Amino acid sequence: MGKFIKVYKEIYQHEKFRQLDGDHIIYYSWLLDLNELSKKNKKKYTDGDGRLFVIFPEINARYYCNIKKGKLYRVKKKLKEVGLIDYNEQKVKKEGVSTPIYVTPYEHWMKKEKSEIPGLDEMPDL
């Protein structure tokens, strides 16, 4: 992991994600960053079905994203609803233990939608 995370500006204009706020987008951006690390360690971060996942324990997510516990649960739920992540809820919550989170890569949702978002490849007139 580097000293910064990449936030895709297109997510702010995408109609499907207009309901997301900064906390959602920052959390998703952290997951994208972690997903890149998982790609480098595929053997460790691939499930039995061959799907790549990330591990981001709640305590780390709350610290790095500066999100309170209740808000983090709402953020994860909303990101799952809009299809940016997938995960299975833990039956019994354990401090410091994370369930695998499957992250929809930016390229998957963006290449389908890019043509529908006006002005993404243009500089605005100021």
Side-chain angles (χ1 to χ4, degrees), residues 89-107:
E89 284 286 337
Q90 289 179 352
K91 291 182 178 32
V92 178
K93 302 274 185 216
K94 298 175 189 166
E95 187 70 31
V97 176
S98 175
T99 185
I101 301 171
Y102 302 93
V103 184
T104 302
Y106 163 79
E107 298 80 20

Side-chain angles (χ1 to χ4, degrees), residues 1 10 16 21 25 34 40-42 45 47 50 54 59 61 84 87 89-90 94 98 101 107 111 113 119 124 126:
M1 271 191 328
E10 291 90 353
K16 184 176 179 181
D21 66 21
I25 294 167
L34 291 171
K40 294 177 183 177
N41 299 291
K42 281 186 181 183
Y45 295 102
D47 69 11
V54 302
I59 194 164
L84 290 177
Y87 61 92
E89 284 286 337
Q90 289 179 352
K94 298 175 189 166
S98 175
I101 301 171
E107 298 80 20
K111 80 172 128 177
E113 308 293 336
L126 302 177

Side-chain angles (χ1 to χ4, degrees), residues 59-112:
I59 194 164
N60 295 22
R62 288 176 35 215
Y63 176 77
Y64 290 114
C65 299
N66 196 25
I67 298 176
K68 302 250 186 259
K69 190 175 195 173
K71 174 78 181 213
L72 178 61
Y73 293 137
R74 292 189 301 276
V75 164
K76 285 179 69 175
K77 182 178 178 184
K78 180 56 80 177
L79 291 176
K80 185 175 182 176
E81 285 174 14
V82 299
L84 290 177
I85 65 172
D86 192 23
Y87 61 92
N88 294 318
E89 284 286 337
Q90 289 179 352
K91 291 182 178 32
V92 178
K93 302 274 185 216
K94 298 175 189 166
E95 187 70 31
V97 176
S98 175
T99 185
I101 301 171
Y102 302 93
V103 184
T104 302
Y106 163 79
E107 298 80 20
H108 285 224
W109 62 263
M110 195 55 206
K111 80 172 128 177
K112 293 178 193 173

